Amino acid sequence: MTIAKHIGALSVIGCALLASQAARADEPFVNPEWANSAWYIGAGIGQSRANIDNERLTRSLTANGASLNSFKVDERDLAYKLFVGKQLNRYFAVEAGFFDLGKFGFDASTSQNGRLVGEAGFRGVNMDLVAQLPMSDRFSVLGRIGMNYAKASTHFSGNRLFAVTNPHPSERKLNAKAGLGLEFKFSEALALRGEVERYRVNDAVGNRGDVDMASLSLVYKLGRPAASRPAPVEPMPAPAPVTVAPAPAPAAPAPAAPVAVSEKVSFAAEALFDFDKSVVKPEGKAALDDLLNKLQGMNTEVMVTVGHTDSVGTDAYNQKLSMRRAEAVKAYIVSKGVEAGRVYTEGKGETQPVADNKSAEGRAKNRRVTVEVVGTRSVNK
């Protein structure tokens, strides 16, 4: 298969995956158990650069008193890889793949009209352990270490073939490889990786060196379950009916006396905000309006908005997200006429779960914003 065909195949795969996941790119990550144990496939393409030790060839070319006039090298080529992997947990995966690092060559000339042209290509299979450090729900830093089993195919031509013992040697060797990169998740199923990898290789004529590959890859996780529906807003309990016993005789009504009142309501975060956002959406504003309507007649002394998250993501990120959401709820309440000095905010991050974070239902309950109101109401005695 030619390089053009490889590029075409990878482009078709990439376009198909992107199209199938475009509608899901904004969905919340609600299946971490699946995502952290799924099988995945991927394909990448990029540029390779070889660094092969040509000292032995140079010595052979200058044997018999000849001098080296020029030694031109072609050290870059197009490379690609195909791979399949298994996510072991949130932080580690194992990955097997096939790679083609391209072809690299040299064109040397010596005195006495001598010339030697060489070309070496490398392709093979690899097995890696991949480590992932999540920086947020969507970004991760990658590191990999493993082994590659590569076939080196070398061809020589020219009138100084005596400088090599075999004009068409090939060799298979097991060597090490390593890499670093970044991953961005479009959704729980589809991600884009940018990586730099180093392959240790042998060129079949006694030289050793490295081939570096810089690539972009699409990664697709298999068998994604259906997304869970977000938890609905927990309704406020209806106020208990008050029964007033009739007085035996008409009497002047008693003056209204203030009574201390404390009310607390919890909203599911999905009802107030879009995923990973801190801007109150229209449905959330309607829920907050309903709360404020129920507080009519109360002399509000203090309101406290508290944001909570589930355990997906880092502690620091979840703390900041919970605080941003609490501040957003405060800003909306203040815009409706409540004095800003009476409204306080807190962000608890993932520190106060009300349900088990191991299930999608539990995580949905933990993603919430609570509003507590302390004030007084006037009631007739």
Side-chain angles (χ1 to χ4, degrees):
M1 184 181 288
T2 65
I3 291 295
K5 290 183 179 179
H6 290 318
I7 297 173
L10 292 176
S11 299
V12 170
I13 294 172
C15 291
L17 291 177
L18 284 172
S20 66
Q21 292 297 308
R24 296 183 173 184
D26 293 329
E27 289 184 4
F29 293 179
V30 296
N31 297 300
E33 290 88 357
W34 163 77
N36 293 337
S37 61
W39 286 89
Y40 61 87
I41 57 174
I45 192 166
Q47 187 176 72
S48 57
R49 179 175 180 177
N51 180 18
I52 308 297
D53 182 9
N54 292 306
E55 183 179 350
R56 192 180 68 81
L57 283 174
T58 302
R59 289 198 304 268
S60 299
L61 288 167
T62 55
N64 301 322
S67 60
L68 191 64
N69 292 336
S70 67
F71 194 89
K72 300 177 182 178
V73 294
D74 180 9
E75 298 179 333
R76 300 175 187 269
D77 200 5
L78 190 67
Y80 73 93
K81 61 179 180 177
L82 305 171
F83 53 90
V84 60
K86 175 67 166 68
Q87 199 74 39
L88 302 179
N89 53 44
R90 186 181 183 187
Y91 302 102
F92 292 99
V94 291
E95 196 172 289
F98 169 82
F99 59 86
D100 189 330
L101 300 178
K103 296 181 179 181
F104 315 96
F106 70 89
D107 188 342
S109 63
T110 67
S111 58
Q112 305 170 1
N113 295 320
R115 189 183 182 198
L116 183 65
V117 178
E119 183 181 73
F122 303 94
R123 60 171 58 183
V125 294
N126 64 280
M127 176 69 74
D128 297 343
L129 175 66
V130 182
Q132 299 165 305
L133 178 62
M135 306 305 292
S136 69
D137 284 345
R138 295 186 182 273
F139 275 105
S140 298
V141 177
L142 303 179
R144 65 171 67 235
I145 188 168
M147 304 297 293
N148 79 87
Y149 185 67
K151 177 183 178 181
S153 300
T154 308
H155 304 281
F156 295 100
S157 61
N159 57 13
R160 290 190 65 85
L161 288 177
F162 63 83
V164 296
T165 57
N166 181 356
H168 304 291
S170 65
E171 186 176 34
R172 291 177 172 86
K173 283 288 186 179
L174 183 66
N175 284 296
K177 71 180 292 279
L180 290 173
L182 295 173
E183 180 177 276
F184 176 77
K185 296 179 177 65
F186 296 108
S187 68
E188 281 184 319
L190 183 64
L192 177 69
R193 286 182 183 175
E195 292 186 277
V196 176
E197 298 169 88
R198 171 161 290 185
Y199 296 76
R200 189 68 168 166
V201 295
N202 295 70
D203 71 352
V205 291
N207 296 324
R208 296 188 65 187
D210 301 308
V211 179
D212 296 329
M213 178 180 176
S215 64
L216 287 175
S217 304
L218 284 174
V219 183
Y220 182 69
K221 291 186 177 178
L222 305 173
R224 183 186 187 189
S228 302
R229 293 179 63 87
V233 177
E234 298 179 15
M236 289 185 63
V242 178
T243 303
V244 180
V259 176
V261 177
S262 176
E263 298 188 17
K264 184 176 182 179
V265 65
S266 179
F267 298 92
E270 286 84 349
L272 298 179
F273 308 98
D274 288 325
F275 175 71
D276 202 27
K277 304 294 184 184
S278 56
V279 177
V280 182
K281 59 184 182 180
E283 298 90 334
K285 292 178 180 179
L288 292 173
D289 288 341
D290 184 59
L291 169 64
L292 294 174
N293 289 335
K294 291 179 180 179
L295 297 179
Q296 292 294 326
M298 177 186 287
N299 180 21
T300 302
E301 296 179 1
V302 175
M303 296 183 72
V304 183
T305 66
V306 184
H308 303 267
T309 70
D310 60 23
S311 61
V312 178
T314 65
D315 293 345
Y317 181 82
N318 286 336
Q319 174 63 31
K320 292 178 181 178
L321 178 60
S322 66
M323 192 64 190
R324 291 200 307 270
R325 288 181 166 177
E327 291 285 357
V329 172
K330 172 184 176 178
Y332 184 74
I333 290 173
V334 170
S335 74
K336 291 298 181 177
V338 179
E339 294 181 23
R342 297 182 183 273
V343 185
Y344 298 86
T345 58
E346 293 184 48
K348 298 295 186 180
E350 58 187 77
T351 62
Q352 294 184 358
V354 295
D356 191 346
N357 275 308
K358 293 182 180 179
S359 68
E361 293 79 9
R363 288 189 299 277
K365 291 179 180 179
N366 291 332
R367 297 190 294 268
R368 67 196 191 280
V369 175
T370 61
V371 180
E372 185 170 5
V373 185
V374 177
T376 57
R377 288 185 186 274
S378 297
V379 298
N380 292 325
K381 293 185 178 180

